[in-house]
Amino acid sequence: MAKVIMTVDDSASVRQMVAFTLKGAGYTVVEAVDGKDALSKLAQTQINMMITDLNMPNLDGIGLIKGVRAMPAYKFIPIVMLTTESQDSKKQEGKSAGATGWIVKPFKPDQLLAVVKKVLG
Amino acid sequence: MSATATSEPTQYLTFELEEETFALDISKVREVLEFSSVTKVPRTPEFMRGVINLRGSVVPVVDLRLKFGMTRTEKTVNTCVIIVEVSFESESMVLGALADSVQEVIELEPEKIEPAPSIGMQLRTDFIKGMGKRDEEFIIILDIDKIFTADELAFAQEASQSAA
Amino acid sequence: MIGEDDGLDAGREAFKEEAAELLTELETSLLELEEHPTDEDLIGRVFRAMHTVKGSGAMFGFDDIAEFTHEVETAFDMVRMGKLAVTKELTNLTLRARDQIRTMIEASEGKATVDHNVSKSIIGSLQLLTRGGQAKEVQGQESGETPAKKPSKTDSADGAHSITYRIRFKPAADLFVTGTNPILLLNELRQMGSSMVIAQTDAITRLEEFNPETCATYWDIILTTTHSANAIKDVFIFVDDMCDLHVEVVDEEGEYDEGEGYMKLGEILAARGDVKIDELKKLLGKQKKVGEILVDAGIVDSGHIESALAEQQHIKEVREQRQKTADGAASIRVPSERLDKLVDLVGELVTVQARLSQTAAINGEVLLTSIAEEVERLTWELRDSTMSIRMLPIGTTFSKFKRLVRDLSNDLGKEIQMTTDGAETELDKTVIEKLNDPLVHIIRNSIDHGVERPDVREAAGKPRMGTVHLSAGHSGANVLIKIEDDGAGLDKERILKKAIDNGLVAPDAELSEKEIFGMIFAPGFSTAAKVTNVSGRGVGMDVVKKNIDALRGIVEVKSKKGAGTTITLRLPLTLAIIDGLLVKIADEVFVIPLAVVEECVELSKKDIERTHGRHVSNVRGVLIPYIRLREHFLIDAEEPEMEQIVITEVEDKKVGFVVDYVIGEHQTVIKTLGRVFKDIEGVSGATILGDGTVALIMDIPSLVRSVARHEPAIAEAVGV
């Protein structure tokens, strides 16, 4: 069965790009527009991995990662954060919240797939 | 082969099939084994009794009695497998022949051997090299190469053709 | 990837729409911000708008926009962090920047032109603001803003230059909380070259204290690769702050080749810091192996010893391999008959050894049993090394075909290149010899019928140069040899028509694609409209099938019209020995090659009644036809109450064989049945069992074909 990946981003174009790339590689993609939306969708769908932006309204990426890690079913799933900030502080904050890895924006589809493959197998 | 070519005596191994005495040119015989078990190869003629293990090689065994239109050889303490080397399609091949018992090795001068009579014989005359005589008893000398000619052993092809 | 451009275009459209919305929102936010210059929510909104425009812009190819927006984003990031105040100057500049971004987007659609001087002036003013405040910070940020990291893209150290690394990856106990699966990282390393991975478990606690949510295992990896140490470290980029990672070079081509011997076990452990040299020296007085001494003394646990030994072994292998390739003279030539003789002798030894083991088992004498076990071990080792002597790389055969391809394509006015893969794959000498003819036929067919003329290819939008790709590789106990071409592919309709014309199939027969492709191997079949001097005389492909059958191999055809054809030959590694399943019917023992056996199920009299005597068995809801071997082999003896069905699968068709019972697995030395039985259907050879009797080895595909001829149910089931 295809693995399900949730992409969380307030930017429709980023979601579209992530979704398109992942679908092309055979994954099933669920989209969420911000952290709050993501958490509510997690209650209904089972996912295998999450790719989330950090800067989002309502609930930002860091908050989302903390929220996801608090859910027993998602304690150990891979979570990759998208960020334009390559400063260590933000990455560190994400890591301590429980992110598995990161992708620095802008990225190309094959870079995204390489990271997904790396953390999801 | 003509029996008059040489006057040198030839050695023959004699054996019994249904109380008749047969003989084989000793140069064709590699060894004689006790008959223990044979593995039947399915869907082959009855006279092909199967295969045996000859020191790591798999050797086919032929029931000469069945081949000659007699009854099937039953296993007794005397039953033997005579391992012979025959020419088959111009290559030499090792085969086992079942005999009720193996008797002895005798010498016969070529002049003592007469051609097979054309009538009154139970088995095909082309299998017979000649008739020898010892103590008033006739010995049928077999032409082992003829018995196992391509025709005789090509049953497998026939079988597959008839099935097709 | 097909459709990637479509996706990108859709993305660009989405970006433009989104950017337009964001810019409108930005305007509102900025105006409000002028009223409430410290409203964090507003600042956040402005920042996110810029952040998204920049990120998405770069992703969809609007590099100029991304670059420009970066400056505004930088400014608002500083505002967010309280390093810069919202001033009238800043909002003015940002509003101008916003307008400029909109112009840039419009310009991309040809609706406007961008005045680059305006861009420059805005950027200049913004930089003045930000650097005035925190020059150092900004610089740091700029250098940090590298265009996308490539965490898993590995850079090659130096072409074919291979280096062996010793890697110790010791993750922090809380590794799992970040959702990291260490196995994936190890797999990533494995893909970089040849490797040995040893899990170190000495830190794992007792079961009652064990916490499955922590990672107590760590790993030693010995990796020989052409990648650089940085590429290896990149694999662990996401966890670099959550693990101890040591990457050291332990062997390098050209560096350690001369003189230097292998490191001793103790030296390796010392170099890894697992043991101290003086401790080691103190212990070395005793006459035991270093490893044992160290373990006994409790200085090192056995996992570390194992790991160090693995390193020793790995480096030895790497160097030996290098030696082999560098030094061809280190081999001797032996007439192949001598090898054949050796194999025969080993075969006999295997048989005798089986008898010895059986005798020892019956006898029960301890000493005899232990001798028998020792003989068994030695026999298998001898067998394996004897077999390996007969193994040759298939590469020499491959290179022969280069010339064939060149000459044939010249003759036919085609442009064809041959590429190969897996030339180092080893196969039994006899198999390689017998492969030559089938490969010639297949390649000829590919060149003649498969690959099109250059003009035809061009018209079809393909490169003028066609490719025939030969590859070989291992797959379990088999070797797969693939012949792929990028030609026209097989024409299903034409093959079917031809087969019907030639009376090979009934006109109304419904055949699967696989069955239709299989037709090309039928005797007297050729679809080429024109007979050429290369192929197309209707002989060839049937010879291929015959030869491969004789090697106990399987031929598979895959083809896509217009895209090419792939023919796969699946061959056993060696002809002399197979793994078999021993089965018994009455007093007869037979061997079924394990390679085709799927499973064994029971068959009771009740099961037979339930199917009303039809020879089918219901295996977990799937009906599988079976053949009663007792009947087919005309074995005249009463069957037992409970029989067993050995279910086999050949070419995707499942057929069961009913036997009295399954004895078990058996390593079988194959003996030919000789010329007398060479055409017997359903039997491919014989083997000698431990008790010295002979058992026949069944040839399942031929047996099925033979039965299918007089049992319509089987014929229907297997589609013969």
Side-chain angles (χ1 to χ4, degrees), chain C residues 700-720:
Chain C
I700 297 299
S702 123
L703 195 56
V704 170
R705 276 197 299 275
S706 150
V707 174
R709 275 199 294 270
H710 46 88
E711 270 192 44
I714 295 289
E716 196 185 311
V718 299
V720 178

Side-chain angles (χ1 to χ4, degrees), chain C residues 411-530:
Chain C
D411 286 355
L412 295 164
K414 295 181 179 178
E415 290 172 24
I416 301 171
Q417 59 169 347
M418 191 183 95
T419 54
T420 62
D421 209 355
E424 72 288 348
T425 307
E426 291 192 330
L427 264 169
D428 192 281
K429 176 180 75 73
T430 335
V431 180
I432 289 191
E433 281 162 9
K434 291 186 179 158
L435 260 181
N436 190 60
D437 283 0
L439 284 177
V440 167
H441 281 301
I442 294 171
I443 292 171
R444 282 186 162 186
N445 254 282
S446 283
I447 296 172
D448 197 13
H449 304 316
V451 181
E452 317 89 327
R453 292 178 172 286
D455 47 325
V456 179
R457 290 179 65 88
E458 246 174 6
K462 292 183 183 181
R464 283 176 69 84
M465 175 82 82
T467 305
V468 174
H469 184 70
L470 267 179
S471 61
H474 290 279
S475 163
N478 289 306
V479 170
L480 296 187
I481 295 170
K482 275 191 194 165
I483 306 94
E484 292 165 74
D485 68 55
D486 61 350
L490 294 176
D491 187 333
K492 251 189 286 179
E493 284 71 37
R494 232 173 73 200
I495 293 173
L496 191 58
K497 187 176 176 298
K498 182 94 182 185
I500 293 169
D501 289 352
N502 288 4
L504 294 169
V505 279
D508 56 348
E510 285 202 16
L511 299 179
S512 68
E513 183 177 271
K514 209 167 167 180
E515 286 164 335
I516 295 173
F517 290 158
M519 286 290 158
I520 63 170
F521 297 110
F525 187 89
S526 172
T527 55
K530 252 193 326 201

Side-chain angles (χ1 to χ4, degrees), chain C residues 82 139 195 197 306 469 572 636 685:
Chain C
Q139 233 174 6
S195 64
V197 178
E306 192 196 331
H469 184 70
D636 193 15

Side-chain angles (χ1 to χ4, degrees), chain C residues 46-98:
Chain C
V46 173
F47 174 78
R48 272 202 308 279
M50 287 302 163
H51 171 86
T52 304
V53 168
K54 180 182 107 174
S56 307
M59 237 181 307
F60 296 105
F62 299 94
D63 291 342
D64 51 342
I65 297 177
E67 202 178 313
F68 178 77
T69 317
H70 172 67
E71 296 297 337
V72 193
E73 187 200 6
T74 306
F76 272 86
D77 193 31
M78 289 172 70
V79 173
R80 241 170 26 132
M81 292 186 282
K83 289 175 185 166
L84 194 71
V86 178
T87 59
K88 183 130 181 109
E89 200 188 352
L90 179 64
T91 41
N92 269 342
L93 268 174
T94 312
L95 279 169
R96 277 176 68 199
R98 175 225 166 250

Side-chain angles (χ1 to χ4, degrees), chain C residues 588-605:
Chain C
E588 310 272 337
V589 175
F590 295 90
V591 179
I592 300 177
L594 207 55
V596 299
V597 174
E598 284 283 297
E599 61 179 315
C600 301
V601 295
E602 289 186 334
L603 177 72
S604 65
K605 291 240 157 98

Side-chain angles (χ1 to χ4, degrees), chain C residues 4 19 46 66 73 78 168 186 222 271 337 350 465-466 517-518 534 564 592 643 649 682:
Chain C
E4 190 173 280
V46 173
E73 187 200 6
M78 289 172 70
R168 176 165 289 180
L186 296 174
I222 306 296
E337 306 88 70
V350 168
M465 175 82 82
F517 290 158
V534 179
I592 300 177
E643 294 171 281
E649 184 177 312

